[in-house]
Amino acid sequence: QVALYKSVPTRLLSRAWGRLNQVELPTWLRKPVYSLYIWTFGVNMKEAAVEDLHHYRNLSEFFRRKLKPQARPVCCVHSVISPSDGKILNFGQVKNCEVEQVKGVTYSLESFLGPRISTEEMHFSRAPSGNSFQEQLVTKEGNELYHCVIYLAPGDYHCFHSPTDWTVSHRRHFPGSLMSVNPGVARWIKELFCHNERVVLTGDWKHGFFSLTAVGATNVGSIRIYFDQDLHTNSPSYSKGSYNDFSFISNNNKEGIPMRKGEHLGEFNLGSTIVLIFEAPKDFKFNLKAGQKIRFGEALGSL
């Protein structure tokens, strides 16, 4: 069954869905189409910056709708906030170079992030390299590596934001499959997140290494990062297992891209998953429960 599902041309289907989303709907058809979607997925349009359904010319504009400024207050007390609306699938310390995608189902940290980025591309000093990939990511003695997985359902707000104050120095894009990341499928397919197309942003925050990964899914071939105009996702062809790197550090910009907590970072076309992997002192605590709903701006954890 797994092999059969993997053989489904999800990338082709997602591109077809993307083209359909761009088709301008007649004004008279917009309200019934969007109302059906709102009813099916429980969308709260009272939070939308524009509540009038006739305003959205196509499904793509409706999916990427913005919120009213006051709809998502950003927590100023805790150091790490949720970058998006969604459901908490998993969180905690990274153990044995593996991360849980859902309870009991893991994937390799190195397969997910790809080979370690050279020190020259990161503008902070590293601690002496450890033996494991996990130890090599930790830059400061006494720190641990943590992770948090957030699943965005089709009815959720589709933009994502900076989860903390940090500097993005590198982008790694993995073209890949576009299988569903629904928690039911995530329990079924081991290393699902390593098979799917994803965009890994890495850099540093005040405690060392920090990364945010946007994972694509069926009908979510489009992952957009606002400050990265060179990124193009869901291309018609790709080499399995390949990836391409881009450094935001150059002769003209030696610092990378500074991001403030809560600042707009990117968007999905429909709904998907965000994975945070970051370094923090041992007394970092998550303020979460597995399976809980969370909204952008709410606290994930703090010291």
Side-chain angles (χ1 to χ4, degrees):
Q1 287 179 318
V2 172
L4 181 63
Y5 178 61
K6 286 183 177 179
S7 69
V8 174
T10 51
R11 290 178 67 84
L12 179 62
L13 291 172
S14 296
R15 281 196 301 279
W17 176 253
R19 290 195 181 96
L20 180 63
N21 286 349
Q22 298 293 336
V23 174
E24 185 165 338
L25 296 175
T27 306
W28 62 269
L29 191 57
R30 293 174 190 176
K31 188 169 183 179
V33 168
Y34 302 146
S35 294
L36 178 62
Y37 186 92
I38 289 165
W39 177 80
T40 303
F41 296 111
V43 178
N44 182 3
M45 284 302 292
K46 286 187 168 55
E47 298 177 331
V50 180
E51 295 183 44
D52 181 10
L53 297 180
H54 296 106
H55 168 81
Y56 302 101
R57 293 173 297 176
N58 51 46
L59 282 164
S60 182
E61 284 190 3
F62 177 71
F63 294 145
R64 294 181 288 109
R65 66 195 174 274
K66 298 295 188 285
L67 298 181
K68 292 177 175 135
Q70 67 274 22
R72 296 288 185 278
V74 173
C75 174
C76 58
V77 177
H78 294 82
S79 54
V80 185
I81 61 165
S82 178
S84 66
D85 288 7
K87 180 181 180 181
I88 301 293
L89 293 191
N90 225 297
F91 62 93
Q93 278 190 22
V94 176
K95 302 277 179 71
N96 303 318
C97 296
E98 290 200 328
V99 184
E100 283 194 313
Q101 59 189 28
V102 290
K103 190 169 179 59
V105 181
T106 63
Y107 56 93
S108 158
L109 182 65
E110 186 167 9
S111 296
F112 181 68
L113 295 178
R116 188 165 71 97
I117 299 158
S118 65
T119 306
E120 291 73 28
E121 293 189 47
M122 309 294 276
H123 68 276
F124 57 94
S125 60
R126 289 190 176 275
S129 293
N131 296 322
S132 72
F133 181 80
Q134 178 178 335
E135 290 170 330
Q136 290 172 22
L137 293 179
V138 176
T139 68
K140 297 177 182 177
E141 193 172 340
N143 279 1
E144 298 285 350
L145 207 60
Y146 297 85
H147 73 100
C148 183
V149 183
I150 305 166
Y151 167 68
L152 289 77
D156 287 327
Y157 168 56
H158 289 62
C159 297
F160 50 94
H161 300 246
S162 177
T164 193
D165 294 338
W166 65 308
T167 301
V168 184
S169 52
H170 188 271
R171 178 257 290 159
R172 176 169 284 160
H173 172 217
F174 291 84
S177 301
L178 287 171
M179 292 181 281
S180 170
V181 291
N182 181 284
V185 177
R187 289 188 193 92
W188 190 37
I189 300 178
K190 183 176 171 62
E191 299 215 326
L192 170 64
F193 294 165
C194 298
H195 292 301
N196 270 16
E197 180 156 15
R198 60 199 181 278
V199 177
V200 183
L201 299 178
T202 54
D204 68 295
W205 70 319
K206 61 184 176 182
H207 299 297
F209 175 81
F210 199 97
S211 72
L212 179 149
T213 301
V215 183
T218 308
N219 296 336
V220 196
S222 172
I223 301 170
R224 185 180 170 200
I225 305 296
Y226 294 136
F227 58 73
D228 189 352
Q229 302 303 314
D230 295 321
L231 176 65
H232 300 288
T233 56
N234 198 10
S235 300
S237 61
Y238 72 99
S239 300
K240 192 172 182 179
S242 66
Y243 62 85
N244 56 74
D245 287 335
F246 183 84
S247 176
F248 297 110
I249 294 176
S250 64
N251 290 332
N252 296 326
N253 178 9
K254 304 208 180 281
E255 292 299 311
I257 309 292
M259 296 297 300
R260 303 295 295 173
K261 183 169 69 173
E263 188 177 347
H264 277 275
L265 182 54
E267 62 189 36
F268 291 112
N269 196 41
L270 183 56
S272 193
T273 298
I274 287 178
V275 180
L276 302 179
I277 297 172
F278 58 93
E279 171 186 1
K282 289 180 178 177
D283 55 352
F284 181 87
K285 292 285 186 291
F286 283 103
N287 306 318
L288 302 171
K289 292 180 182 175
Q292 79 171 69
K293 290 287 289 180
I294 198 163
R295 305 206 300 177
F296 154 60
E298 294 178 345
L300 286 184
S302 195
L303 295 164

